[in-house]
Amino acid sequence: MINVDLKNAQIKIEDLLKYQDQVTTIHQKLEANIANEDEFCGWIDMPLRYERDLDYQASWQKMNTLALKLQEEVDILLVIGIGGSYLGSRAAIEMVQGLYNQKAPVKVIYCGNTLSSTYVSQLLEYLTDKEFAINVISKSGTTTEPAIAFRLFYDLMVNIQKKAKDVVRNRIIVTTDKETGILHQLAKDKGYQTFVVPNDIGGRYSVLTPVGIFPMLVAGLDVERVMIGAQKAYQECKNDKILANPAYKYAVSRYYLYQERNKSVEILATYETQLQMFAEWWKQLFGESEGKENKGLFPASVLFTTDLHSLGQFIQEGSKIFFETVITLKEPTLDVNIPKFENDEDQLNYLTKYSLNEINYKACQATIAAHSGYQFGNVPNIILEWEKIDSEMFGFAAYFFMRACAMSASLLQVNPFNQPGVEVYKKNMFELLGKNK
Ligand code: PA5
């Protein structure tokens, strides 16, 4: 479902094949680590695990029942979480449903991902007269941003809206660790419904667990198809051979451009507005997994053609510290015909033989030629050809990029599954806030 095209990337097959031994060794290690909970490789066989593991089956059943109930009772689901605890579900919901979908049974809104008092105040006001449920998601159960948001929106539901106790119990759903953490204890004490973030899966690799799946279900996504897509990706990406595994072909290509061609920034370019949050999820995945020990590609993103009128200038003629990874699409979710005007007053009749998507595709081809052409931009372009955008594609793409990320971080010899650097700001902030140890 994703074809990795290197025609415009200034990469030869031999450039990739010289990493084959390293890739095989890393691949074998990742596969062997699935069995060891402390290695955080549980996401690797998650597409199969959810069907064969009885605990997961029970959890899926519970998620389905609860999602259907919420769809009948509330208009809004407030997802409270930060980083890997919200980006995956948001990426999936916006990618599959688009941004102005009128048919979604429940609107999903996000909080706990910011300390902006203006954003939070406006959201509190917006929700005051609305029927909403809360899914608070935190693996550690101690992250400050979601913890503050949960207190504020709990206060709204309980003390301002004055919802009855049983209503509150039904409308607060907690996704957290199975056994530990403040949130886990709180959910237990108050009798909230809970879902578990598996011990062996870290935040940014958790989109195919209840962390991502429950909000998708409430929003009305076909999550069975998400998992079918992930299973297809699992099958296509379980080969250790670079040329037979599209995720590894992409991973090694970006590693080659970083290592051998001095490219220190990767720009993910998309032409679909509904992929903007997917790009945010991708940035977190690669940024937190690779940026360690003074190594790693800085993951950036652009939305074309929008950003051709801003960053396009820099990409075409600015300093060449980057390469582009461009997502192209065979079939859009929806298309629009350009109407013909009899007197052609705006002189656009020449476009009426194309649909809007066909014009977008021409812009994409023109841009790839302008940016990558040797005599023009001379920016390597890795093209990822996607067939379509739907639930299955989301599952495939999410799994594809997680596999690629684990491989490329391992090639850099950094741990793809920790994020020690994130703690530094927290320590400083807690000192400034006078938090008790
Ligand atoms: O990928 C990660 O592990 C992080 O981005 C976490 O998801 C993020 O920090 C939120 O952590 P938690 O779910 O523990 O609140």
Side-chain angles (χ1 to χ4, degrees), residues 430 433-437:
F430 291 142
L433 290 169
K435 185 184 181 192
N436 293 334
K437 300 240 161 67

Side-chain angles (χ1 to χ4, degrees), residues 406-424:
M407 174 53 68
S408 68
S410 303
L411 281 166
L412 285 168
Q413 298 184 323
V414 297
N415 180 345
F417 310 118
N418 66 3
Q419 55 283 331
V422 178
E423 297 308 314
V424 184

Side-chain angles (χ1 to χ4, degrees), residues 82-85 137-141 143 146 202-204 284 288 419:
I82 196 163
S85 289
I137 308 172
S138 176
K139 184 173 183 187
S140 62
T143 309
R204 59 191 174 276
Q284 190 224 354
E288 266 192 349
Q419 55 283 331

Side-chain angles (χ1 to χ4, degrees), residues 1-19:
M1 293 173 77
I2 295 182
N3 180 41
V4 183
D5 176 354
L6 299 177
K7 273 197 300 292
N8 300 289
Q10 305 169 11
I11 300 172
K12 298 193 286 295
I13 293 304
E14 310 84 89
D15 297 330
L16 303 184
L17 290 178
K18 64 182 183 202
Y19 297 105

Side-chain angles (χ1 to χ4, degrees), residues 237-294:
C237 303
K238 67 179 187 189
N239 198 316
D240 72 307
K241 297 288 175 284
I242 297 168
L243 299 184
N245 179 332
Y248 289 174
K249 189 175 171 190
Y250 163 62
V252 176
S253 299
R254 62 195 295 288
Y255 177 70
Y256 165 80
L257 291 170
Y258 170 79
Q259 200 68 21
E260 307 275 335
R261 304 284 300 284
N262 256 338
K263 301 297 180 191
S264 52
V265 177
E266 176 179 16
I267 303 176
L268 185 73
T270 68
Y271 284 75
E272 297 294 331
T273 314
Q274 77 218 78
L275 290 182
Q276 240 173 331
M277 282 311 299
F278 186 83
E280 294 302 317
W281 172 83
W282 172 90
K283 283 196 273 195
Q284 190 224 354
L285 177 66
F286 280 90
E288 266 192 349
S289 300
E290 283 198 333
K292 285 159 207 168
E293 302 170 27
N294 297 314

Side-chain angles (χ1 to χ4, degrees), residues 78 109-111 118-127 153:
L78 182 67
I109 293 184
Y110 304 86
C111 200
T118 306
Y119 178 83
V120 173
S121 301
Q122 289 183 333
L123 192 50
L124 281 165
E125 200 181 323
Y126 176 75
L127 289 179
F153 288 92

